[in-house]
């Protein structure tokens, strides 16, 4: 049986990469020594061995708002973070409101 750890950050204010680290630290049970950078995150969600909670699941699924805030931007920092979810063991789901998607 495949198990998913779902972390729903919709409604959480994420304006910066540090806001993202703050938002995932608790729900993903990241240790205090976690590096708070994309390389450490990639190791955590793909290679494993950092978070016991993530390690107990086959897949990590993180839901975020994409209409405003950090994930609505196109910069390098956002691109780098999104790329960490490219493996089989993780998925980033960026939600856009119907209003934004419809262009109204």
């Amino acid at each position: 049986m495949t198990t998913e750890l779902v972390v729903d950050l919709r409604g959480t204010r994420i304006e910066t990469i540090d806001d993202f680290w703050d938002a995932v630290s608790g729900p993903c049970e990241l240790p205090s020594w976690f590096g708070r950078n994309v390389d450490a995150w990639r190791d955590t969600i793909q290679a494993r061995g950092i978070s016991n909670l993530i390690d107990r699941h086959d897949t990590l699924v993180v839901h975020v708002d994409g209409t405003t805030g950090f994930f609505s931007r196109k910069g390098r920092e956002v691109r780098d973070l999104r790329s960490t979810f490219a493996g089989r063991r993780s998925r980033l789901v960026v939600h856009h409101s119907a209003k934004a998607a419809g262009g109204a």
Side-chain angles (χ1 to χ4, degrees):
M1 177 170 86
T2 302
T3 61
E4 288 187 345
L5 171 60
V6 177
V7 177
D8 193 341
L9 301 177
R10 290 175 287 180
T12 301
R13 186 171 180 210
I14 301 175
E15 295 294 329
T16 66
I17 189 81
D18 285 328
D19 292 341
F20 177 78
W21 301 134
D22 291 343
V24 296
S25 289
C28 292
E29 296 182 5
L30 298 178
S32 60
W33 50 264
F34 173 73
R36 294 177 64 101
N37 62 68
V38 294
D39 292 328
W41 182 244
R42 183 177 289 109
D43 289 344
T44 302
I45 64 176
Q46 301 302 337
R48 307 294 175 106
I50 307 292
S51 163
N52 291 329
L53 179 63
I54 292 173
D55 294 353
R56 288 194 306 266
H57 295 83
D58 298 308
T59 307
L60 169 67
V61 181
V62 177
H63 293 265
V64 295
D65 292 320
T67 343
T68 62
F70 185 76
F71 289 97
S72 68
R73 300 186 198 118
K74 306 246 188 252
R76 189 187 102 244
E77 230 178 10
V78 177
R79 221 175 22 254
D80 289 349
L81 181 58
R82 283 178 178 244
S83 75
T84 64
F85 288 89
R88 295 179 301 119
R89 303 184 88 182
S90 62
R91 188 167 63 250
L92 177 67
V93 181
V94 181
H95 295 267
H96 299 279
S97 72
K99 182 177 180 180

